PDB file of all heavy atoms in Angstrom:
ATOM      1  N   VAL M 145      -4.843   0.758  14.985  1.00  0.00           N
ATOM      2  CA  VAL M 145      -5.697   1.707  14.240  1.00  0.00           C
ATOM      3  C   VAL M 145      -7.158   1.254  14.333  1.00  0.00           C
ATOM      4  O   VAL M 145      -8.064   2.054  14.561  1.00  0.00           O
ATOM      5  CB  VAL M 145      -5.246   1.803  12.756  1.00  0.00           C
ATOM      6  CG1 VAL M 145      -6.255   2.593  11.933  1.00  0.00           C
ATOM      7  CG2 VAL M 145      -3.852   2.412  12.660  1.00  0.00           C
ATOM      8  N   ARG M 146      -7.368  -0.071  14.202  1.00  0.00           N
ATOM      9  CA  ARG M 146      -8.746  -0.596  14.278  1.00  0.00           C
ATOM     10  C   ARG M 146      -9.358  -0.281  15.646  1.00  0.00           C
ATOM     11  O   ARG M 146     -10.507   0.154  15.733  1.00  0.00           O
ATOM     12  CB  ARG M 146      -8.720  -2.111  14.019  1.00  0.00           C
ATOM     13  CG  ARG M 146     -10.102  -2.733  13.818  1.00  0.00           C
ATOM     14  CD  ARG M 146     -10.025  -4.233  13.634  1.00  0.00           C
ATOM     15  NE  ARG M 146      -9.411  -4.846  14.784  1.00  0.00           N
ATOM     16  CZ  ARG M 146      -8.517  -5.828  14.738  1.00  0.00           C
ATOM     17  NH1 ARG M 146      -8.142  -6.337  13.591  1.00  0.00           N
ATOM     18  NH2 ARG M 146      -7.992  -6.313  15.845  1.00  0.00           N
ATOM     19  N   LYS M 147      -8.561  -0.492  16.703  1.00  0.00           N
ATOM     20  CA  LYS M 147      -9.042  -0.221  18.067  1.00  0.00           C
ATOM     21  C   LYS M 147      -9.445   1.244  18.217  1.00  0.00           C
ATOM     22  O   LYS M 147     -10.486   1.564  18.770  1.00  0.00           O
ATOM     23  CB  LYS M 147      -7.934  -0.550  19.066  1.00  0.00           C
ATOM     24  CG  LYS M 147      -8.300  -1.661  20.035  1.00  0.00           C
ATOM     25  CD  LYS M 147      -7.098  -2.121  20.846  1.00  0.00           C
ATOM     26  CE  LYS M 147      -6.414  -3.304  20.204  1.00  0.00           C
ATOM     27  NZ  LYS M 147      -5.154  -3.688  20.815  1.00  0.00           N
ATOM     28  N   LEU M 148      -8.613   2.148  17.692  1.00  0.00           N
ATOM     29  CA  LEU M 148      -8.857   3.579  17.878  1.00  0.00           C
ATOM     30  C   LEU M 148     -10.078   4.071  17.092  1.00  0.00           C
ATOM     31  O   LEU M 148     -10.816   4.927  17.554  1.00  0.00           O
ATOM     32  CB  LEU M 148      -7.630   4.394  17.442  1.00  0.00           C
ATOM     33  CG  LEU M 148      -6.393   4.329  18.357  1.00  0.00           C
ATOM     34  CD1 LEU M 148      -5.208   5.028  17.698  1.00  0.00           C
ATOM     35  CD2 LEU M 148      -6.685   4.980  19.707  1.00  0.00           C
ATOM     36  N   VAL M 149     -10.269   3.510  15.907  1.00  0.00           N
ATOM     37  CA  VAL M 149     -11.294   4.079  15.018  1.00  0.00           C
ATOM     38  C   VAL M 149     -12.560   3.218  14.916  1.00  0.00           C
ATOM     39  O   VAL M 149     -13.664   3.749  14.785  1.00  0.00           O
ATOM     40  CB  VAL M 149     -10.694   4.332  13.613  1.00  0.00           C
ATOM     41  CG1 VAL M 149     -11.738   4.857  12.642  1.00  0.00           C
ATOM     42  CG2 VAL M 149      -9.522   5.287  13.713  1.00  0.00           C
ATOM     43  N   PHE M 150     -12.409   1.893  15.010  1.00  0.00           N
ATOM     44  CA  PHE M 150     -13.567   1.017  14.775  1.00  0.00           C
ATOM     45  C   PHE M 150     -14.097   0.392  16.070  1.00  0.00           C
ATOM     46  O   PHE M 150     -15.199  -0.112  16.104  1.00  0.00           O
ATOM     47  CB  PHE M 150     -13.191  -0.096  13.790  1.00  0.00           C
ATOM     48  CG  PHE M 150     -12.853   0.408  12.412  1.00  0.00           C
ATOM     49  CD1 PHE M 150     -11.588   0.921  12.143  1.00  0.00           C
ATOM     50  CD2 PHE M 150     -13.779   0.366  11.386  1.00  0.00           C
ATOM     51  CE1 PHE M 150     -11.257   1.396  10.877  1.00  0.00           C
ATOM     52  CE2 PHE M 150     -13.469   0.825  10.115  1.00  0.00           C
ATOM     53  CZ  PHE M 150     -12.208   1.350   9.864  1.00  0.00           C
ATOM     54  N   GLY M 151     -13.260   0.367  17.119  1.00  0.00           N
ATOM     55  CA  GLY M 151     -13.729  -0.163  18.404  1.00  0.00           C
ATOM     56  C   GLY M 151     -12.975  -1.385  18.858  1.00  0.00           C
ATOM     57  O   GLY M 151     -12.008  -1.813  18.227  1.00  0.00           O
ATOM     58  N   LYS M 152     -13.446  -1.960  19.956  1.00  0.00           N
ATOM     59  CA  LYS M 152     -12.740  -3.055  20.628  1.00  0.00           C
ATOM     60  C   LYS M 152     -12.487  -4.255  19.714  1.00  0.00           C
ATOM     61  O   LYS M 152     -13.351  -4.632  18.924  1.00  0.00           O
ATOM     62  CB  LYS M 152     -13.568  -3.541  21.821  1.00  0.00           C
ATOM     63  CG  LYS M 152     -13.439  -2.655  23.031  1.00  0.00           C
ATOM     64  CD  LYS M 152     -14.077  -3.345  24.225  1.00  0.00           C
ATOM     65  CE  LYS M 152     -13.860  -2.494  25.460  1.00  0.00           C
ATOM     66  NZ  LYS M 152     -14.770  -2.825  26.526  1.00  0.00           N
TER      67      LYS M 152
END
Side-chain angles (χ1 to χ4, degrees):
V145 171
R146 191 183 59 222
K147 242 170 266 172
L148 288 172
V149 177
F150 295 81
K152 281 190 176 161

